[in-house]
Amino acid sequence: MIFCCPCKKNFGGMATNNKKRAAAKHLIERYYHQLTEGCGNEACTNEACGSSPGFQRMDNNAAAIKALELYKNNAKLCDPHPSKKGASSAFPENSAKGAHNFSACSNGKMNHKDLQPTREDFRDLNYLTEEKVYEILSLCSETEDYSPLIRVIGRVFSSAESLVQSFHKAKQHTKEELKSLQAKDEDKDEDEKETASGSSTAMEVEPEASASSADGPSHGENNVQKLGPVEVSVDIEAVRRVYDRLLSNEKIEAAFLNALVYLSPNVECDLTYHNVYAADPNYLNVFIIVMENSNLHSPEYLEIALPQFCKAMSKLPLPALAKLARLWSQYSADQIRRLVETFQQLITYTVISNEFSSDNLVNEDDGVVAATKCLKIVYYANVLGGDLDMGHNEEEDDEPIPESSELTLQELLGEERRNKKGPRVDPLETELGIRTSDCRKPLIPFEEFVNEPLNDVLEMDKDYTFFKVETESKFSFMTCPFILNAVTKNLGLYYDNRIRMYSERRITALYSLVQGQQLNPYLRLKVRRDHIIDDALVRLEMIAMENPADLKKQLYVEFEGEQGVDEGGVSKEFFQLVVEEIFNRDIGMFTYDESTKLFWFNPSSFENEGQFTLIGIVLGLAIYNNCILDVHFPMVVYRKLMGKKGTFRDLADSHPVLYQSLKDLLEYEGNVEEDMMITFQISQTDLFGNPLMYDLKEGGDKIPVTNENRKDFVALYAEYMLNKSVEKQFKAFRRGFHMVTNESPLKYLFRPEEIELLICGSRNLDFQALEESTEYDGGYNKDSCIIKDFWETVHSFGQEQKRLFLQFTTGTDRAPVGGLGKLKMIIAKNGPDSDRLPTSHTCFNVLLLPEYSTKEKLRERLLKAITYAKGFGML
């Protein structure tokens, strides 16, 4: 909806263009008044006139939209009837500055008194200050007539030019003050250089040491240090105070609403065609001021005003979006939450008000798409304003992952392979120089950005297609993964993995035709149960060296000497056995913490790097083939996989006893050097219990830890434990993981905690949700007596028995992403009452259950089956 001529102009351009815009606005206003008041001729035959006998009345918002349509179509415009001649001045010419009268939208019909040029009309006031608002409000309160204030608000808040000039900060530095400040800054810079040179030794030893503390820097300190305050000309606190005073009055609030309806199309036009932000960065003030309206999420705004404004905001150029994100990052958590709720309310309202389907995609709704793009600005503001860890990034692998020496299908067809170097990066993320993984703790939880109603109606197969095609005409919500829950993102990842598998299969078929030799379209592993690690390691190492692209084929596992077709269940058992073997404490590849029940890389392990590479490949294959593993790593492992180094605070999860000791050291109020007598040399034990000494600094055994350098000691200790001591093992592990996932959108879509959920599944087992989602076959239904007995029996199991049941039925004792309710289990009848044990097809999550005669027999048979199920009864 555009209220201005799409003529090319610069912001505040030539007078000719201003006249054209003024003329257009004048015509639109005439159409508007014709719709709301009519021409005065009761026998009018113009269907678009309020005086026409068959005319159906409409509200102000609908009239504004209709007026625009009439203007676009150059529709008939009635001449005022003689009885309305006195009202002809209801369509006054706008001033050259674009001021216009919009009071009709908020007050209904104008009367003759409104048209008299009195002092209280403030006709020459084209911008506002806090003081001027209070002055007008005081005059209106005395006369109990708020129409002058309503007219001023309508005029100023419906004009981008006026808003840009409004609510400027009162204090502006003079040239002399700026010179004085500059001189002070230069002196300060010299002092800082001297200080920096004095402490250069410590900084060269360990850059992170000075920033380390027990809890990390506070949110405020972090922003000032990393970003610095974002300066804008608008006085945000004054705007908030004005809104607080005015929004309690319903008539005044209606003026804000109607002004926004008129403002948004003009702003969208300015940003789309006229590049106004480049000409005047203060144009951003329009969005800053409007978004401070705390009533934007109310129902009146959701229908027209807010969707239009979101569309306008989404047209901002990238530097403007980044500046807005930096500005909002300085807001409090409550203010960020208000912005989130505003856009979330619009998305939810639109989703539940429409019937979206595969024929009517939510991706094609302009309001939802625009609100999601605006929500992205708040998301990055939430990240920037949180507890940041911008440094401490893992170094990239020295050697790139080897590419296949053979031509790919795309290259054979003359096409480049897309995303060869990994997943895309969000442009706003690049502009801000930040990643989601840089944020330890956001201002508000990431979960508040997820919109469940949107996830429910999103057609993920279509959305994934738009994501891969990357066209401007089709929007994909996968480009805004923060709004998607883990289940939806996992589905998108599943599509990506399957399409890649099919692509590798087509490549193999093409090779067979071109080269005339039979190639395997699957990643086939034939292993012996009693030599599973050796067999898997040898095969996977050969594949990784010869043709790593084969790792992206669909996994097909065969146990030597056993019958069975791998439709997923055999692969699940393979992963389970490999994980059990690798994490066997007797092997010594990992250390185990009894208090946390977590594993960590053993720095003294005798195993070669190939073993750790195998574990990385196994984790990658599990994600790629949609299998859940029973691995128990601390969160820092997943952070390191996403490119972040471990720091002191990560010790709380991985080494809690050491963390507490170091925390006590940082908080100790006495004399550390005299009372504790520790140095920068630390001791560890190897596999045989022998002490190993390590200097955190050169000559560390001669450097005492003092109150002044204890932060350095803690940071270096954490760096050694989490990074340096296991560098060789972790690099091999990460290399194996990336062999499978290097072209996946995994890093783009998921946060570290979500990666853990993908690999390990959920530990929360809700069997009530499993019962509700289970389907039945072979003559059973939910009302069958044996089914009722079955669920009563399963619900009576303890946690360990429930895990055994899941292992027996599905091949894993973990719930998938989204919980057991997402697990489609089928219980099928397997004949009449007999002594046969229940069996299962783990590939398809099918439980074959005979119709036992008693509940007791059902319990006894089921317990025996799940207790002795390994390699038996699982197909």
Side-chain angles (χ1 to χ4, degrees), residues 618-871:
V618 166
L619 256 67
L621 287 175
I623 292 177
Y624 195 59
N625 290 272
N626 206 31
C627 290
I628 294 173
L629 300 183
D630 185 22
V631 297
H632 305 271
F633 282 133
M635 185 56 63
V636 64
V637 171
Y638 302 104
R639 283 182 54 80
K640 285 167 73 68
L641 282 176
M642 299 291 275
K644 301 300 293 185
K645 282 187 176 182
T647 60
F648 166 63
R649 68 185 71 190
D650 292 307
L651 289 173
D653 189 26
S654 60
H655 302 76
V657 176
L658 174 60
Y659 172 80
Q660 190 57 49
S661 299
L662 294 176
K663 190 169 183 290
D664 291 341
L665 171 64
L666 289 171
E667 296 173 351
Y668 186 67
E669 296 181 358
N671 189 309
V672 172
E673 182 177 2
E674 294 180 1
D675 297 346
M676 297 190 178
M677 293 186 293
I678 52 180
T679 67
F680 274 75
Q681 185 180 73
I682 60 175
S683 173
Q684 281 191 305
T685 55
D686 62 13
L687 286 172
F688 304 104
N690 300 319
L692 298 174
M693 311 306 292
Y694 178 79
D695 287 346
L696 298 178
K697 289 185 176 182
E698 188 176 347
D701 59 329
K702 298 181 176 59
I703 304 175
V705 177
T706 66
N707 292 55
E708 289 73 27
N709 65 13
R710 57 183 170 182
K711 286 185 179 180
D712 289 359
F713 174 79
V714 168
L716 291 168
Y717 204 142
E719 166 71 11
Y720 174 75
M721 291 297 295
L722 298 178
N723 303 312
K724 288 185 177 179
S725 66
V726 296
E727 183 175 12
K728 180 178 69 172
Q729 293 88 339
F730 182 78
K731 275 192 172 182
F733 170 76
R734 184 182 61 191
R735 181 175 174 80
F737 184 77
H738 285 166
M739 280 182 182
V740 185
T741 64
N742 64 321
E743 294 181 356
S744 167
L746 189 71
K747 284 176 115 176
Y748 183 85
L749 294 176
F750 296 92
R751 303 190 304 275
E753 58 269 23
E754 293 174 321
I755 298 287
E756 181 188 31
L757 187 63
L758 277 181
I759 295 173
C760 307
S762 172
R763 299 178 186 181
N764 180 29
L765 302 181
D766 184 359
F767 271 75
Q768 194 63 45
L770 178 62
E771 179 181 354
E772 293 172 1
S773 65
T774 296
E775 299 175 358
Y776 305 94
D777 195 12
Y780 286 155
N781 60 59
K782 66 178 181 179
D783 297 320
S784 301
C785 290
I786 187 170
I787 295 300
K788 291 180 178 179
D789 291 343
F790 169 82
W791 285 115
E792 287 178 10
T793 301
V794 170
H795 288 311
S796 69
F797 285 169
Q799 281 299 309
E800 188 58 34
Q801 290 173 324
K802 286 181 177 178
R803 291 191 183 281
L804 287 173
F805 170 77
L806 275 182
Q807 183 74 54
F808 174 77
T809 312
T810 68
T812 177
D813 64 354
R814 298 292 187 94
V817 177
L820 288 179
K822 300 296 180 182
L823 185 68
K824 299 303 180 186
M825 190 174 80
I826 299 173
I827 301 178
K829 187 174 181 178
N830 193 23
D833 180 33
S834 69
D835 290 334
R836 295 175 61 191
L837 293 172
T839 54
S840 65
H841 293 288
T842 54
C843 305
F844 308 106
N845 303 329
V846 175
L847 176 66
L848 301 175
L849 186 68
E851 193 172 6
Y852 297 114
S853 57
T854 65
K855 184 177 179 180
E856 291 71 23
K857 186 175 183 179
L858 167 66
R859 182 181 181 89
E860 184 269 333
R861 297 278 87 187
L862 184 60
L863 278 173
K864 181 169 285 189
I866 66 177
T867 305
Y868 304 102
K870 267 192 184 174

Side-chain angles (χ1 to χ4, degrees), residues 212-254:
S212 298
S213 65
D215 300 310
S218 68
H219 133 62
E221 293 171 346
N222 209 10
N223 283 338
V224 172
Q225 180 185 1
K226 300 279 192 300
L227 302 171
V230 178
E231 291 296 333
V232 290
S233 60
V234 64
D235 188 341
I236 298 174
E237 290 300 326
V239 174
R240 289 172 181 164
R241 290 191 294 268
V242 167
Y243 275 125
D244 287 342
R245 289 282 296 274
L246 299 185
L247 289 177
S248 57
N249 186 307
E250 290 184 6
K251 291 183 178 179
I252 297 176
E253 183 187 6

Side-chain angles (χ1 to χ4, degrees), residues 193-351:
K193 286 178 183 177
E194 292 174 4
T195 305
S197 63
S199 59
S200 60
T201 305
M203 293 299 288
E204 289 169 3
V205 172
E206 182 51 50
E208 80 171 33
S210 61
S212 298
S213 65
D215 300 310
S218 68
H219 133 62
E221 293 171 346
N222 209 10
N223 283 338
V224 172
Q225 180 185 1
K226 300 279 192 300
L227 302 171
V230 178
E231 291 296 333
V232 290
S233 60
V234 64
D235 188 341
I236 298 174
E237 290 300 326
V239 174
R240 289 172 181 164
R241 290 191 294 268
V242 167
Y243 275 125
D244 287 342
R245 289 282 296 274
L246 299 185
L247 289 177
S248 57
N249 186 307
E250 290 184 6
K251 291 183 178 179
I252 297 176
E253 183 187 6
F256 283 117
L257 170 64
N258 293 317
L260 187 59
V261 172
Y262 197 93
L263 169 75
S264 300
N266 287 331
V267 172
E268 184 181 354
C269 175
D270 285 342
L271 291 169
T272 304
Y273 300 108
H274 305 140
N275 198 19
V276 290
Y277 180 77
D280 183 7
N282 284 330
Y283 199 86
L284 198 63
N285 292 3
V286 173
F287 300 93
I288 298 171
I289 292 172
V290 172
M291 287 307 302
E292 289 303 323
N293 184 340
S294 58
N295 284 2
L296 284 178
H297 63 278
S298 59
E300 307 86 60
Y301 286 87
L302 299 179
E303 188 69 37
I304 297 175
L306 189 56
Q308 288 182 346
F309 186 72
C310 288
K311 285 177 64 180
M313 187 185 295
S314 67
K315 301 294 184 182
L316 281 168
L318 194 58
L321 296 175
K323 185 173 182 179
L324 201 53
R326 292 190 184 99
L327 173 68
W328 284 346
S329 72
Q330 298 169 183
Y331 285 15
S332 68
D334 288 340
Q335 290 162 344
I336 289 289
R337 184 172 282 109
R338 178 183 61 80
L339 293 172
V340 171
E341 289 173 353
T342 296
F343 297 123
Q344 290 283 38
Q345 194 85 342
L346 173 57
I347 295 169
T348 302
Y349 172 81
T350 308
V351 167

